[in-house]
């Protein structure tokens, strides 16, 4: 008995040390977890569909990136984009009565990504069709036509979207081009936002033309409120743009992904 006791007391500092360091590890991990969730709290609803593709092809350092706003050429017809939960279900007024709320945000994110990308030294620009309703998808000014030409010339066309709310949406993620040559930029965006299957919905019009579709997130809940609230709008747009540009820069400059 005495022997056991004395062993216990001699071992006490060791036991305490182990417990203390375990606690430190737990606290540290918890703090890091909090940090990650705070940073990414708006984009937690990632797509959860089975997808197996991997983007491996290298890209040149001066890869020409074209950022398009989804539905910028298709207002007033069936492909106008989601109205968002606030307008469709909660009686809020549209951000701009002449366009869908999705397009309203797609345009702002498009421009923020380009501005930030230029500041980070990327070869990046926006495409603005200038006409909000072009019935013929193959008209030379549509996102589809301009994006397809950009891809054929060796560039990287990326169309910004927000996904539908509730049961109509799948979540954030990259819908890749229907291509055997998916590259490290595709991979980087998929790691940052989520990964849609290559033949999502049987193959959409944009991916068939090698235009990548980036679903930022479902237009609902906290993400939509933070965008709608004038006090948090700019920070939210900046955070989303930063996430896109970080993924682009990481892939193009070969930096390890966060
Ligand atoms: Zn869309």
């Amino acid at each position: 008995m005495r022997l056991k006791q004395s062993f216990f007391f001699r071992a006490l500092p060791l036991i305490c040390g182990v417990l203390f360091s375990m606690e430190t590890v737990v606290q540290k991990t918890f703090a890091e977890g909090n940090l990650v969730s705070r940073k990414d709290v708006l984009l937690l609803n990632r797509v959860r569909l089975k997808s197996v593709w991997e983007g491996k092809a290298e890209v040149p350092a001066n890869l020409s990136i074209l950022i398009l706003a989804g539905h910028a050429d298709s207002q007033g017809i069936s492909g106008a984009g989601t109205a968002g939960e606030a307008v469709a279900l909660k009686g809020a007024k549209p951000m701009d009565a002449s366009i869908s709320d999705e397009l309203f945000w797609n345009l702002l994110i498009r421009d923020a990504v380009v501005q930030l990308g230029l500041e980070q030294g990327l070869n990046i620009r926006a495409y603005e069709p200038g006409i909000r309703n072009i019935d013929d998808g193959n008209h030379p000014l549509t996102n589809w036509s301009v994006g397809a030409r950009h891809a054929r010339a060796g560039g990287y066309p990326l169309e910004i979207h927000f996904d539908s709310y509730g049961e109509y949406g799948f979540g954030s993620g990259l819908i890749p081009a229907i291509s055997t040559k998916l590259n490290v930029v595709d991979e980087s965006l998929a790691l940052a936002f989520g990964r849609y299957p290559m033949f999502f919905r049987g193959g959409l019009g944009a991916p068939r033309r090698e235009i990548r579709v980036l679903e930022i997130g479902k237009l609902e809940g906290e993400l939509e409120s933070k965008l709608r609230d004038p006090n948090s709008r700019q920070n939210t747009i900046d955070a989303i743009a930063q996430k896109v540009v970080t993924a682009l820069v990481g892939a193009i400059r070969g930096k390890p992904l966060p």
Side-chain angles (χ1 to χ4, degrees):
M1 196 64 185
R2 190 185 292 160
L3 206 152
K4 272 187 187 167
Q5 264 183 1
S6 71
F7 172 75
F8 176 78
F9 283 115
R10 265 185 292 154
L12 197 58
L14 184 68
I15 295 165
C16 288
V18 169
L19 285 175
F20 177 74
S21 62
M22 270 172 66
E23 193 188 13
T24 314
V25 169
V26 169
Q27 280 176 348
K28 200 162 163 250
T29 311
F30 185 68
E32 282 166 0
N34 268 356
L35 199 69
V36 169
S37 62
R38 254 206 315 275
K39 249 169 46 184
D40 247 8
V41 71
L42 300 175
L43 305 174
L44 283 180
N45 287 319
R46 283 171 159 232
V47 60
R48 289 197 190 97
L49 296 171
K50 189 176 187 299
S51 46
V52 292
W53 63 268
E54 201 181 339
K56 287 184 179 165
E58 293 297 324
V59 293
N62 65 348
L63 177 70
S64 172
I65 301 165
L66 185 67
I67 307 290
L68 309 110
H71 315 281
D73 54 15
S74 57
Q75 296 300 299
I77 52 172
S78 57
T82 181
E85 184 188 39
V87 172
L89 300 184
K90 297 188 170 169
K93 279 192 185 149
M95 295 301 298
D96 174 342
S98 68
I99 58 175
S100 68
D101 267 29
E102 184 189 341
L103 175 58
F104 183 86
W105 301 119
N106 290 346
L107 292 167
L108 290 174
I109 301 290
R110 176 196 67 186
D111 294 344
V113 166
V114 169
Q115 192 189 332
L116 197 61
L118 288 170
E119 284 168 22
Q120 307 260 320
L122 292 176
N123 179 11
I124 189 169
R125 62 190 168 84
Y127 174 62
E128 171 47 61
I131 306 170
R132 285 284 173 256
N133 193 16
I134 307 174
D135 286 335
D136 176 10
N138 291 316
H139 183 286
L141 289 179
T142 61
N143 278 3
W144 278 359
S145 299
V146 173
R149 274 203 300 278
H150 191 77
R152 279 199 301 274
Y156 189 89
L158 179 66
E159 197 175 66
I160 304 293
H161 285 254
F162 281 82
D163 202 9
S164 299
Y165 53 89
E167 63 189 288
Y168 306 108
F170 290 86
S172 72
L174 182 78
I175 305 171
I178 298 174
S179 164
T180 54
K181 288 180 274 180
L182 294 178
N183 61 39
V184 291
V185 179
D186 298 312
E187 187 65 21
S188 185
L189 286 167
L191 287 170
F193 285 89
R195 195 181 301 264
Y196 274 82
M198 190 185 287
F199 288 95
F200 178 61
R201 292 191 195 274
L204 297 168
R208 287 187 180 282
R209 291 166 174 80
E210 291 201 42
I211 300 164
R212 280 69 171 175
V213 169
L214 183 62
E215 297 283 5
I216 300 294
K218 291 166 75 167
L219 196 50
E220 65 180 11
E222 195 180 355
L223 172 59
E224 190 181 28
S225 324
K226 287 247 156 69
L227 285 167
R228 284 186 147 255
D229 181 348
N231 294 318
S232 51
R233 182 172 306 158
Q234 198 55 51
N235 280 350
T236 307
I237 291 170
D238 290 347
I240 293 168
Q242 184 66 66
K243 192 173 170 72
V244 176
V245 170
T246 300
L248 295 173
V249 168
I252 289 167
R253 307 226 175 106
K255 282 185 190 161
L257 292 160

